[in-house]
Amino acid sequence: MMSLGTLNTLTVKKQVKFGFYLDGESWGEILLPNNVAPAGLQPGQQLSVFLYLDSEDQLIATTERPKVMVGQVAYLPVVASTKVGAFLDWGLKKDLLVPFSEQQIPLKVGQHYLVYCYVDVSNRIVASTKLDRHLHKTAAPYKEGDKVEVIVSEQTDLGYKAVVNHQHFGVLYKNEVFKPLRRGDKLTAYVVKVRDDGKLDLRLNKATFEQANVLGNQILKQLRANGGKLALTDKSAPELIYQQFGASKKAFKQAIGTLYKERKIVITEQGLLLVPEQPAADA
């Protein structure tokens, strides 16, 4: 099924002086101009093209790839501001509109903004800086350890808010990020937990994630064996931590940080306390 603002595989129907007409099925014939047609293209061949509306709002195809497609998030610069809204450079001849109603704050020429691209009720491809309005509309289909692609959205008191696979929100906690991050940075991350609100706890390093998971289980086992108490904290000497668990202080802090966020332990000045497991509710 064809869709506007995405890649579609279409068949070349015929060649004309100014380009090629592609078979758009129920959409009719769609022009692929000569300047974006690959050399040697012939009728009958199939081609992957991006479909959008040109400056005269006519459906047109291109082999060029924009910096963002419908259903995606990207960090793009503003190149113009007009009476209808701001325009972004998304890599095509016709710039991408951000209507005033979709601007979280007034957009300024020369500045970059994180936007979500979609097709509006008028069948226009537009963008929005109001990510909360467009993301997190479906349940997050992830499980612990899943590899995901993220784009940094903003810095918060907890760490960094990030867009996961263009569709959901997640958090990279500041005590687990060991390099400076900026809005628009694209990174690979790993799902630590899907929270009750559907948002995701993330970690950047898979090895760190796996190590913290294993170490966390060791800490819980030790707590249960010691009556729910352990005289170690994130301020304990590295030598004591290594003696107890054979792990670095950094790995220990990450592990107990995860256990704390999961509400499995309490961290006090004297040490760690195990949170008693709640009995299952009667059916």
PDB file of all heavy atoms in Angstrom, residues 69-92:
ATOM      1  N   MET A  69      11.338  11.301   7.371  1.00  0.00           N
ATOM      2  CA  MET A  69      10.149  10.842   6.667  1.00  0.00           C
ATOM      3  C   MET A  69       8.976  10.817   7.629  1.00  0.00           C
ATOM      4  O   MET A  69       9.145  10.955   8.842  1.00  0.00           O
ATOM      5  CB  MET A  69      10.391   9.452   6.066  1.00  0.00           C
ATOM      6  CG  MET A  69      11.515   9.402   5.052  1.00  0.00           C
ATOM      7  SD  MET A  69      11.594   7.785   4.225  1.00  0.00           S
ATOM      8  CE  MET A  69      13.214   7.907   3.431  1.00  0.00           C
ATOM      9  N   VAL A  70       7.791  10.653   7.090  1.00  0.00           N
ATOM     10  CA  VAL A  70       6.586  10.601   7.916  1.00  0.00           C
ATOM     11  C   VAL A  70       6.719   9.470   8.945  1.00  0.00           C
ATOM     12  O   VAL A  70       7.114   8.348   8.611  1.00  0.00           O
ATOM     13  CB  VAL A  70       5.342  10.386   7.032  1.00  0.00           C
ATOM     14  CG1 VAL A  70       4.133   9.998   7.879  1.00  0.00           C
ATOM     15  CG2 VAL A  70       5.047  11.654   6.234  1.00  0.00           C
ATOM     16  N   GLY A  71       6.408   9.811  10.188  1.00  0.00           N
ATOM     17  CA  GLY A  71       6.532   8.846  11.273  1.00  0.00           C
ATOM     18  C   GLY A  71       7.884   8.823  11.930  1.00  0.00           C
ATOM     19  O   GLY A  71       8.140   7.987  12.791  1.00  0.00           O
ATOM     20  N   GLN A  72       8.769   9.772  11.551  1.00  0.00           N
ATOM     21  CA  GLN A  72      10.112   9.819  12.106  1.00  0.00           C
ATOM     22  C   GLN A  72      10.383  11.150  12.810  1.00  0.00           C
ATOM     23  O   GLN A  72       9.674  12.138  12.619  1.00  0.00           O
ATOM     24  CB  GLN A  72      11.154   9.619  11.003  1.00  0.00           C
ATOM     25  CG  GLN A  72      11.128   8.262  10.346  1.00  0.00           C
ATOM     26  CD  GLN A  72      12.189   8.110   9.274  1.00  0.00           C
ATOM     27  OE1 GLN A  72      12.820   9.083   8.848  1.00  0.00           O
ATOM     28  NE2 GLN A  72      12.397   6.885   8.834  1.00  0.00           N
ATOM     29  N   VAL A  73      11.449  11.143  13.620  1.00  0.00           N
ATOM     30  CA  VAL A  73      11.914  12.321  14.337  1.00  0.00           C
ATOM     31  C   VAL A  73      13.299  12.688  13.820  1.00  0.00           C
ATOM     32  O   VAL A  73      14.111  11.806  13.544  1.00  0.00           O
ATOM     33  CB  VAL A  73      11.972  12.054  15.853  1.00  0.00           C
ATOM     34  CG1 VAL A  73      12.637  13.211  16.599  1.00  0.00           C
ATOM     35  CG2 VAL A  73      10.562  11.817  16.399  1.00  0.00           C
ATOM     36  N   ALA A  74      13.571  13.986  13.680  1.00  0.00           N
ATOM     37  CA  ALA A  74      14.891  14.434  13.226  1.00  0.00           C
ATOM     38  C   ALA A  74      15.180  15.813  13.798  1.00  0.00           C
ATOM     39  O   ALA A  74      14.280  16.551  14.218  1.00  0.00           O
ATOM     40  CB  ALA A  74      14.963  14.472  11.701  1.00  0.00           C
ATOM     41  N   TYR A  75      16.457  16.168  13.812  1.00  0.00           N
ATOM     42  CA  TYR A  75      16.941  17.452  14.333  1.00  0.00           C
ATOM     43  C   TYR A  75      17.308  18.309  13.123  1.00  0.00           C
ATOM     44  O   TYR A  75      18.325  18.070  12.470  1.00  0.00           O
ATOM     45  CB  TYR A  75      18.151  17.200  15.227  1.00  0.00           C
ATOM     46  CG  TYR A  75      18.614  18.351  16.071  1.00  0.00           C
ATOM     47  CD1 TYR A  75      17.750  18.993  16.948  1.00  0.00           C
ATOM     48  CD2 TYR A  75      19.942  18.777  16.026  1.00  0.00           C
ATOM     49  CE1 TYR A  75      18.185  20.030  17.752  1.00  0.00           C
ATOM     50  CE2 TYR A  75      20.390  19.810  16.828  1.00  0.00           C
ATOM     51  CZ  TYR A  75      19.504  20.436  17.696  1.00  0.00           C
ATOM     52  OH  TYR A  75      19.957  21.460  18.489  1.00  0.00           O
ATOM     53  N   LEU A  76      16.484  19.300  12.805  1.00  0.00           N
ATOM     54  CA  LEU A  76      16.603  20.020  11.543  1.00  0.00           C
ATOM     55  C   LEU A  76      16.702  21.525  11.747  1.00  0.00           C
ATOM     56  O   LEU A  76      16.148  22.079  12.712  1.00  0.00           O
ATOM     57  CB  LEU A  76      15.387  19.715  10.658  1.00  0.00           C
ATOM     58  CG  LEU A  76      15.154  18.246  10.296  1.00  0.00           C
ATOM     59  CD1 LEU A  76      13.861  18.103   9.507  1.00  0.00           C
ATOM     60  CD2 LEU A  76      16.330  17.679   9.518  1.00  0.00           C
ATOM     61  N   PRO A  77      17.367  22.232  10.815  1.00  0.00           N
ATOM     62  CA  PRO A  77      17.509  23.689  10.916  1.00  0.00           C
ATOM     63  C   PRO A  77      16.345  24.438  10.274  1.00  0.00           C
ATOM     64  O   PRO A  77      15.779  23.998   9.265  1.00  0.00           O
ATOM     65  CB  PRO A  77      18.808  23.950  10.149  1.00  0.00           C
ATOM     66  CG  PRO A  77      18.826  22.878   9.097  1.00  0.00           C
ATOM     67  CD  PRO A  77      18.199  21.667   9.736  1.00  0.00           C
ATOM     68  N   VAL A  78      16.000  25.572  10.865  1.00  0.00           N
ATOM     69  CA  VAL A  78      14.987  26.465  10.294  1.00  0.00           C
ATOM     70  C   VAL A  78      15.656  27.361   9.258  1.00  0.00           C
ATOM     71  O   VAL A  78      16.670  27.999   9.544  1.00  0.00           O
ATOM     72  CB  VAL A  78      14.327  27.327  11.386  1.00  0.00           C
ATOM     73  CG1 VAL A  78      13.323  28.302  10.775  1.00  0.00           C
ATOM     74  CG2 VAL A  78      13.636  26.441  12.415  1.00  0.00           C
ATOM     75  N   VAL A  79      15.083  27.401   8.061  1.00  0.00           N
ATOM     76  CA  VAL A  79      15.664  28.220   6.985  1.00  0.00           C
ATOM     77  C   VAL A  79      14.806  29.412   6.622  1.00  0.00           C
ATOM     78  O   VAL A  79      15.259  30.316   5.911  1.00  0.00           O
ATOM     79  CB  VAL A  79      15.921  27.357   5.727  1.00  0.00           C
ATOM     80  CG1 VAL A  79      17.006  26.322   6.009  1.00  0.00           C
ATOM     81  CG2 VAL A  79      14.646  26.673   5.246  1.00  0.00           C
ATOM     82  N   ALA A  80      13.553  29.445   7.093  1.00  0.00           N
ATOM     83  CA  ALA A  80      12.680  30.580   6.778  1.00  0.00           C
ATOM     84  C   ALA A  80      11.526  30.625   7.769  1.00  0.00           C
ATOM     85  O   ALA A  80      11.123  29.606   8.338  1.00  0.00           O
ATOM     86  CB  ALA A  80      12.145  30.477   5.358  1.00  0.00           C
ATOM     87  N   SER A  81      11.006  31.835   7.972  1.00  0.00           N
ATOM     88  CA  SER A  81       9.823  32.038   8.801  1.00  0.00           C
ATOM     89  C   SER A  81       8.857  32.915   8.026  1.00  0.00           C
ATOM     90  O   SER A  81       9.235  33.990   7.549  1.00  0.00           O
ATOM     91  CB  SER A  81      10.197  32.694  10.134  1.00  0.00           C
ATOM     92  OG  SER A  81       9.065  32.847  10.960  1.00  0.00           O
ATOM     93  N   THR A  82       7.612  32.458   7.861  1.00  0.00           N
ATOM     94  CA  THR A  82       6.629  33.179   7.052  1.00  0.00           C
ATOM     95  C   THR A  82       5.323  33.310   7.820  1.00  0.00           C
ATOM     96  O   THR A  82       5.219  32.885   8.974  1.00  0.00           O
ATOM     97  CB  THR A  82       6.365  32.439   5.733  1.00  0.00           C
ATOM     98  OG1 THR A  82       5.613  31.244   6.012  1.00  0.00           O
ATOM     99  CG2 THR A  82       7.679  32.065   5.031  1.00  0.00           C
ATOM    100  N   LYS A  83       4.319  33.848   7.155  1.00  0.00           N
ATOM    101  CA  LYS A  83       3.022  34.055   7.799  1.00  0.00           C
ATOM    102  C   LYS A  83       2.274  32.739   8.045  1.00  0.00           C
ATOM    103  O   LYS A  83       1.304  32.708   8.797  1.00  0.00           O
ATOM    104  CB  LYS A  83       2.159  34.983   6.957  1.00  0.00           C
ATOM    105  CG  LYS A  83       1.844  34.463   5.571  1.00  0.00           C
ATOM    106  CD  LYS A  83       1.026  35.477   4.791  1.00  0.00           C
ATOM    107  CE  LYS A  83       0.704  34.957   3.382  1.00  0.00           C
ATOM    108  NZ  LYS A  83      -0.073  35.949   2.612  1.00  0.00           N
ATOM    109  N   VAL A  84       2.723  31.634   7.417  1.00  0.00           N
ATOM    110  CA  VAL A  84       2.055  30.352   7.629  1.00  0.00           C
ATOM    111  C   VAL A  84       2.811  29.455   8.606  1.00  0.00           C
ATOM    112  O   VAL A  84       2.303  28.422   9.041  1.00  0.00           O
ATOM    113  CB  VAL A  84       1.850  29.596   6.298  1.00  0.00           C
ATOM    114  CG1 VAL A  84       0.940  30.389   5.380  1.00  0.00           C
ATOM    115  CG2 VAL A  84       3.170  29.296   5.620  1.00  0.00           C
ATOM    116  N   GLY A  85       4.046  29.824   8.931  1.00  0.00           N
ATOM    117  CA  GLY A  85       4.838  29.025   9.861  1.00  0.00           C
ATOM    118  C   GLY A  85       6.312  29.071   9.527  1.00  0.00           C
ATOM    119  O   GLY A  85       6.762  29.925   8.743  1.00  0.00           O
ATOM    120  N   ALA A  86       7.069  28.161  10.113  1.00  0.00           N
ATOM    121  CA  ALA A  86       8.509  28.081   9.860  1.00  0.00           C
ATOM    122  C   ALA A  86       8.784  26.950   8.878  1.00  0.00           C
ATOM    123  O   ALA A  86       8.026  25.983   8.789  1.00  0.00           O
ATOM    124  CB  ALA A  86       9.257  27.839  11.165  1.00  0.00           C
ATOM    125  N   PHE A  87       9.896  27.088   8.140  1.00  0.00           N
ATOM    126  CA  PHE A  87      10.268  26.060   7.178  1.00  0.00           C
ATOM    127  C   PHE A  87      11.637  25.489   7.529  1.00  0.00           C
ATOM    128  O   PHE A  87      12.562  26.229   7.872  1.00  0.00           O
ATOM    129  CB  PHE A  87      10.277  26.625   5.762  1.00  0.00           C
ATOM    130  CG  PHE A  87       8.896  26.838   5.196  1.00  0.00           C
ATOM    131  CD1 PHE A  87       8.221  28.035   5.400  1.00  0.00           C
ATOM    132  CD2 PHE A  87       8.254  25.831   4.490  1.00  0.00           C
ATOM    133  CE1 PHE A  87       6.939  28.223   4.896  1.00  0.00           C
ATOM    134  CE2 PHE A  87       6.984  26.003   3.979  1.00  0.00           C
ATOM    135  CZ  PHE A  87       6.320  27.203   4.171  1.00  0.00           C
ATOM    136  N   LEU A  88      11.737  24.158   7.420  1.00  0.00           N
ATOM    137  CA  LEU A  88      12.952  23.425   7.765  1.00  0.00           C
ATOM    138  C   LEU A  88      13.623  22.880   6.514  1.00  0.00           C
ATOM    139  O   LEU A  88      12.952  22.520   5.542  1.00  0.00           O
ATOM    140  CB  LEU A  88      12.614  22.247   8.684  1.00  0.00           C
ATOM    141  CG  LEU A  88      11.781  22.535   9.934  1.00  0.00           C
ATOM    142  CD1 LEU A  88      11.408  21.220  10.610  1.00  0.00           C
ATOM    143  CD2 LEU A  88      12.524  23.439  10.890  1.00  0.00           C
ATOM    144  N   ASP A  89      14.938  22.791   6.565  1.00  0.00           N
ATOM    145  CA  ASP A  89      15.687  22.118   5.512  1.00  0.00           C
ATOM    146  C   ASP A  89      15.691  20.629   5.808  1.00  0.00           C
ATOM    147  O   ASP A  89      16.322  20.174   6.752  1.00  0.00           O
ATOM    148  CB  ASP A  89      17.113  22.659   5.455  1.00  0.00           C
ATOM    149  CG  ASP A  89      17.980  21.917   4.448  1.00  0.00           C
ATOM    150  OD1 ASP A  89      17.434  21.119   3.655  1.00  0.00           O
ATOM    151  OD2 ASP A  89      19.207  22.127   4.460  1.00  0.00           O
ATOM    152  N   TRP A  90      14.979  19.857   4.969  1.00  0.00           N
ATOM    153  CA  TRP A  90      14.926  18.409   5.160  1.00  0.00           C
ATOM    154  C   TRP A  90      15.552  17.670   3.982  1.00  0.00           C
ATOM    155  O   TRP A  90      15.372  16.471   3.821  1.00  0.00           O
ATOM    156  CB  TRP A  90      13.513  17.920   5.429  1.00  0.00           C
ATOM    157  CG  TRP A  90      12.515  18.102   4.312  1.00  0.00           C
ATOM    158  CD1 TRP A  90      12.469  19.115   3.394  1.00  0.00           C
ATOM    159  CD2 TRP A  90      11.416  17.247   4.003  1.00  0.00           C
ATOM    160  NE1 TRP A  90      11.413  18.947   2.535  1.00  0.00           N
ATOM    161  CE2 TRP A  90      10.749  17.813   2.895  1.00  0.00           C
ATOM    162  CE3 TRP A  90      10.915  16.079   4.558  1.00  0.00           C
ATOM    163  CZ2 TRP A  90       9.600  17.246   2.327  1.00  0.00           C
ATOM    164  CZ3 TRP A  90       9.774  15.515   3.995  1.00  0.00           C
ATOM    165  CH2 TRP A  90       9.134  16.085   2.902  1.00  0.00           C
ATOM    166  N   GLY A  91      16.306  18.404   3.169  1.00  0.00           N
ATOM    167  CA  GLY A  91      17.066  17.769   2.108  1.00  0.00           C
ATOM    168  C   GLY A  91      16.405  17.730   0.753  1.00  0.00           C
ATOM    169  O   GLY A  91      16.992  17.215  -0.207  1.00  0.00           O
ATOM    170  N   LEU A  92      15.187  18.271   0.631  1.00  0.00           N
ATOM    171  CA  LEU A  92      14.499  18.329  -0.651  1.00  0.00           C
ATOM    172  C   LEU A  92      14.349  19.786  -1.089  1.00  0.00           C
ATOM    173  O   LEU A  92      14.523  20.712  -0.300  1.00  0.00           O
ATOM    174  CB  LEU A  92      13.119  17.672  -0.560  1.00  0.00           C
ATOM    175  CG  LEU A  92      13.096  16.179  -0.183  1.00  0.00           C
ATOM    176  CD1 LEU A  92      11.669  15.674  -0.155  1.00  0.00           C
ATOM    177  CD2 LEU A  92      13.949  15.355  -1.133  1.00  0.00           C
TER     178      LEU A  92
END
